Amino acid sequence: MPRTTTTDDMRQEYDAHGEGGGIGEYLLHRAKPHLPPWLAGAGTGLASLPAHYFWSGEPGVTAGLTLASVALTGLTWWAGKSTTQQRRLHSAVTVAAAATWFTAAAIAGPGAGPLGELYFIGAPALALSWNIRQILRKNVEGAGQSADGGFLEKVGLAKTQVLRTEVGPNKASFDLQLPRGELTPDDVSKNLTRIAGALDVPKTAIRIQENPDSASRVMLTVVPLDLLKNTVPCPGPSHPGGSIADPVHVGIYEDGTPAVIYFPGDPEAARNAAHFLVMGMPGSGKSEGGLTALAEVLTRHDVTVWASDPAKAEQTLGPLLPAIDWAALDMPSTKAMIKALTAVIPARTAWLAKYGYKQWVPACAEVQADGAPGMPYLLAWFEEAAKTIRETDDDVFTGIAQEARSAGISLVISMQRASGNQVSTDTRAAFGSSWVHGVRSEGDARFALDDEVLDAGAAPHVWKDKKPGYSYLVANGVPDDRWATPMRDYLSSVDYLHWAVVTFTDIRAAIDPVTAGAAARSADRAFTGRTHYPLPGTTGQPETTMPNHYDPDENEEEHEDGYYPDDDYDPRPPGGFGEEDDYEEGEFIDAEQELPEVEQVVEFAARPPAEEPRRQNISTAEARAAMEEVLEEFEDEGRDVVGPADFMAYCDRYGRGRSWVSGQVAQFVMAGRLAETSEVGRYRIVPYQQAA
């Protein structure tokens, strides 16, 4: 719609150009933008007169003018490829018409035949067409309105140009050219909320990425639909039996791309080993994401895991405890683990230097050229680290974090809020990678995310605890353009965790002598007597390691690189039995001596009824076969849905507990014999033909 000129407009224009100019100057000023097409038409007509005078009757000139007309039209079409299709076509038609008329007029004369009439009709028509196009390009809201309908002006980005647009099914990216010297990428970051409001999408749906080659260009990305709103079950190990150097899959980004993290460094990729700060308020899904990452790590063959949780003990780490080499579930053992890590670092770095490694690589876990055992990677994971820091020191992890990476150790601390009164600035600086879930405020987010990540659109404080599993991953090996992209952690069921623990038991690395020796010398019985938890599906109880007697000062020169226990075992506790035990060195008990007569019988528990069936003592393979038979019985009975509780009445007679049953159910699921349903803990029976 053309813009209407009012009396006030005329008065403003008149005042702007001086009172002495008069109405003629005003009209000339208004006509100036529309004169170029008319001047071009008049110039073409006048130029045809001398052209005809000099070139009429010249065959060579005729051919040259024809070729020039064609070339000029083609050039116009090529040059207009960056404009709209309508403007490109309009320009090419104008040039073709003018060049054709000029060629004919130069050869035959401007007045020959219909050339005169064509000129006086065609030239004004073409000039008016450009005038009309120019008028229609102006919006009723005023001159200077851009082709985007004024959107960029509304959100504070006036004079910004859209250079390139990419539109996908649920993603639109705009390459913006900011007015040089007037706007910067920081101005775009400050207006993200206004942009989101204008587009009617949440703030987390808008992100920007600065152009590394130009400070006046940014990429604006809009993701209107939340494709992460549904939970994403863990699809299984990404590299079963592989190396810890392979990427660890922990979730997916909003475009379906897997979200991965790396723990060891990679010299070829110029990537350093990573320490992680995992943060999120209660209910944000932080612990569930951590369990998924740990379960993935425990499917690799060249890594050992130490884990601590002095606040919740077995509540979080429980399903994975049988696969963890050292689990510190109280504060004394956690302090011992920290002390051991301090001692382990120089021992491991000395070993790496001895065999010519500048940093840990997968070859370190293999047997070395001299026959020495390899050294697996070490992952130290501290859940609820705020309690550990509170009861030790806010710098307790600083020294470890600064030195551990060169020793083939990654440190992970997981906490709700890495505030300044809990974690020192030096500690936060040592943790170069962050995995941030929903937090309570933007101030909390700044404890773990850099300002440029927040400015690019990351907003974990918007989620709070309303979107469990949503997170941002800022880490070594993760591309910069992914740092502000939301992802969702995989959700791992207890059955899956049990399956991962049981299935990869045989390939999982044991602690190496170098690390074990340094830990034993430093933490003593807190390490050598650490608890080993039974595998899911077994009836055993947690066992405490009873090591052979070890004297750290004995044979120090021979075994300075590791822990090589001798064959002697001292049954006495450290320090002896005490004076009241009547135990002296050299005394022994005569095994053939008669026992004293029984004076009193104390019955501690009633005997079981005679009719109660005893549990059968059968092997694990036989118990698994029994599970198959029970599942077939359920199928023959016409059952469609079953769960672990349905198997318990049958499997109790075989001496198997609930954890073992859960592990077997998980294996049925992985084999396709059972399929998950919408109800937690219930599975649909899949016939053998379909499962195969």
Side-chain angles (χ1 to χ4, degrees):
M1 180 177 178
R3 185 177 186 272
T4 304
T5 303
T6 64
T7 305
D8 291 339
D9 292 333
M10 294 178 62
R11 184 179 296 109
Q12 291 174 4
E13 293 285 349
Y14 178 78
D15 293 340
H17 293 86
E19 298 181 359
I23 193 67
E25 185 174 345
Y26 163 75
L27 292 176
L28 179 61
H29 172 74
R30 296 292 297 178
K32 280 181 181 179
H34 307 286
L35 290 178
W38 295 92
L39 295 177
T44 302
L46 293 175
S48 66
L49 295 174
H52 173 65
Y53 178 78
F54 291 105
W55 294 338
S56 62
E58 297 288 339
V61 174
T62 301
L65 288 174
T66 302
L67 292 175
S69 299
V70 174
L72 190 59
T73 303
L75 179 62
T76 304
W77 179 260
W78 175 83
K81 64 181 181 179
S82 60
T83 65
T84 63
Q85 189 69 16
Q86 297 88 342
R87 188 180 187 88
R88 186 183 191 186
L89 181 61
H90 192 186
S91 301
V93 169
T94 301
V95 172
T100 301
W101 183 90
F102 180 82
T103 300
I107 297 171
L115 292 180
E117 290 81 358
L118 289 176
Y119 174 78
F120 286 106
I121 296 175
L126 288 175
L128 283 172
S129 69
W130 282 100
N131 290 160
I132 293 172
R133 185 183 185 90
Q134 186 176 13
I135 293 172
L136 291 178
R137 199 168 63 239
K138 296 184 178 180
N139 191 278
V140 293
E141 294 184 5
Q145 192 78 10
S146 61
D148 58 16
F151 171 79
L152 293 174
E153 287 82 352
K154 292 178 182 177
V155 297
L157 301 178
K159 300 182 182 179
T160 298
Q161 298 178 353
V162 180
L163 301 181
R164 184 170 55 89
T165 302
E166 293 182 5
V167 180
N170 187 44
K171 182 178 180 181
S173 299
F174 306 94
D175 189 3
L176 303 181
Q177 174 63 63
L178 305 177
R180 294 181 177 87
E182 298 183 29
L183 294 177
T184 66
D186 291 339
D187 296 311
V188 183
S189 300
K190 295 175 182 177
N191 286 282
L192 286 184
T193 303
R194 297 175 64 182
I195 296 173
L199 295 175
D200 194 21
V201 296
K203 183 179 178 181
T204 53
I206 307 294
R207 292 181 299 279
I208 68 166
Q209 180 185 358
E210 297 185 22
N211 189 310
D213 300 324
S214 175
S216 65
R217 291 179 60 179
V218 296
M219 179 67 73
L220 180 70
T221 302
V222 182
V223 181
L225 298 180
D226 184 5
L227 299 182
L228 302 177
K229 59 183 178 181
N230 297 321
T231 57
V232 184
C234 182
S238 60
H239 296 81
S243 172
I244 187 61
D246 297 323
V248 175
H249 291 229
V250 295
I252 61 170
Y253 289 106
E254 60 190 6
D255 59 358
T257 304
V260 301
I261 60 179
Y262 296 88
F263 289 107
D266 185 353
E268 296 182 359
R271 186 186 69 243
N272 294 325
H275 298 318
F276 280 86
L277 170 61
V278 184
M279 198 175 81
M281 65 183 297
S284 64
K286 166 177 56 67
S287 297
E288 286 76 7
L291 283 177
T292 296
L294 275 174
E296 175 86 343
V297 167
L298 293 171
T299 65
R300 310 298 173 85
H301 74 274
D302 54 2
V303 59
T304 303
V305 176
W306 289 357
S308 162
D309 190 344
K312 297 181 180 179
E314 298 183 14
Q315 184 177 2
T316 299
L317 297 174
L320 300 178
L321 289 177
I324 295 175
D325 179 74
W326 185 4
L329 304 181
D330 54 36
M331 188 51 63
S333 57
T334 297
K335 292 180 179 179
M337 181 179 288
I338 295 173
K339 183 179 179 182
L341 283 171
T342 305
V344 158
I345 291 172
R348 290 174 64 95
T349 53
W351 186 93
L352 292 171
K354 176 181 177 180
Y355 290 99
Y357 297 109
K358 294 184 178 181
Q359 67 180 72
W360 191 94
V361 293
C364 296
E366 301 173 0
V367 177
Q368 302 303 300
D370 61 356
M375 186 176 70
Y377 200 75
L378 180 60
L379 176 63
W381 192 295
F382 290 83
E383 279 287 324
E384 302 298 335
K387 179 178 176 65
T388 302
I389 295 173
R390 186 168 58 251
E391 298 193 20
T392 51
D393 180 33
D394 62 350
D395 281 325
V396 65
F397 293 114
T398 303
I400 301 175
Q402 291 174 345
E403 302 169 0
R405 288 185 295 186
S406 61
I409 302 174
S410 280
L411 188 63
V412 179
I413 62 173
S414 176
M415 57 198 312
Q416 297 176 11
R417 186 172 182 265
S419 61
N421 57 359
Q422 294 191 83
V423 182
S424 69
T425 304
D426 291 339
T427 300
R428 286 203 301 270
F431 284 80
S433 300
S434 302
W435 189 5
V436 182
H437 297 71
V439 295
R440 193 171 301 278
S441 66
E442 185 176 357
D444 291 350
R446 292 189 182 278
F447 290 129
L449 295 177
D450 295 334
D451 290 341
E452 56 264 28
V453 179
L454 293 171
D455 292 342
H461 52 284
V462 175
W463 299 329
K464 293 184 170 59
D465 58 353
K466 302 300 187 295
K467 294 188 175 183
Y470 282 62
S471 58
Y472 293 104
L473 195 55
V474 180
N476 293 342
V478 178
D480 295 4
D481 59 352
R482 291 288 186 183
W483 289 0
T485 302
M487 57 163 284
R488 184 153 194 178
D489 307 343
Y490 288 137
L491 184 62
S492 299
S493 65
V494 175
D495 290 337
Y496 170 76
L497 298 178
H498 283 162
W499 174 85
V501 168
V502 173
T503 303
F504 297 91
T505 299
D506 296 336
I507 63 97
R508 200 168 291 126
I511 192 73
D512 61 281
V514 174
T515 305
R521 288 191 295 270
S522 175
D524 198 15
R525 291 187 63 82
F527 173 76
T528 59
R530 65 196 185 279
T531 301
H532 293 287
Y533 294 82
L535 291 173
T538 63
T539 57
Q541 298 297 320
E543 298 179 357
T544 301
T545 304
M546 294 296 292
N548 295 332
H549 175 70
Y550 172 72
D551 183 359
D553 296 327
E554 184 179 356
N555 300 328
E556 183 174 357
E557 295 181 0
E558 182 179 357
H559 305 303
E560 61 181 358
D561 287 336
Y563 172 34
Y564 298 88
D566 54 34
D567 294 330
D568 299 326
Y569 172 64
D570 187 353
R572 294 175 294 175
F577 289 100
E579 298 179 357
E580 72 279 10
D581 287 309
D582 296 331
Y583 182 93
E584 296 180 2
E585 187 174 358
E587 289 190 4
F588 63 93
I589 298 175
D590 188 356
E592 298 181 358
Q593 181 179 351
E594 294 184 3
L595 297 175
E597 295 183 2
V598 177
E599 298 180 356
Q600 183 180 4
V601 177
V602 179
E603 187 171 313
F604 290 97
R607 296 178 181 176
E611 63 274 8
E612 182 178 342
R614 294 180 177 270
R615 290 186 173 183
Q616 300 181 28
N617 186 15
I618 63 177
S619 67
T620 301
E622 292 172 333
R624 290 176 179 171
M627 283 281 289
E628 288 279 0
E629 294 177 1
V630 172
L631 183 58
E632 291 178 4
E633 291 180 15
F634 290 158
E635 195 172 4
D636 294 338
E637 294 172 3
R639 298 195 192 186
D640 294 328
V641 179
V642 295
D646 297 309
F647 290 93
M648 288 306 301
Y650 294 85
C651 296
D652 186 60
R653 72 182 69 161
Y654 303 126
R656 295 298 185 268
R658 182 175 180 82
S659 60
W660 185 86
V661 172
S662 297
Q664 295 304 306
V665 171
Q667 293 199 22
F668 282 146
V669 174
M670 298 300 294
R673 194 71 171 85
L674 295 176
E676 294 183 348
T677 66
S678 57
E679 184 178 356
V680 178
R682 304 296 292 173
Y683 303 89
R684 178 175 55 83
I685 299 177
V686 180
Y688 267 117
Q689 295 81 358
Q690 298 182 20

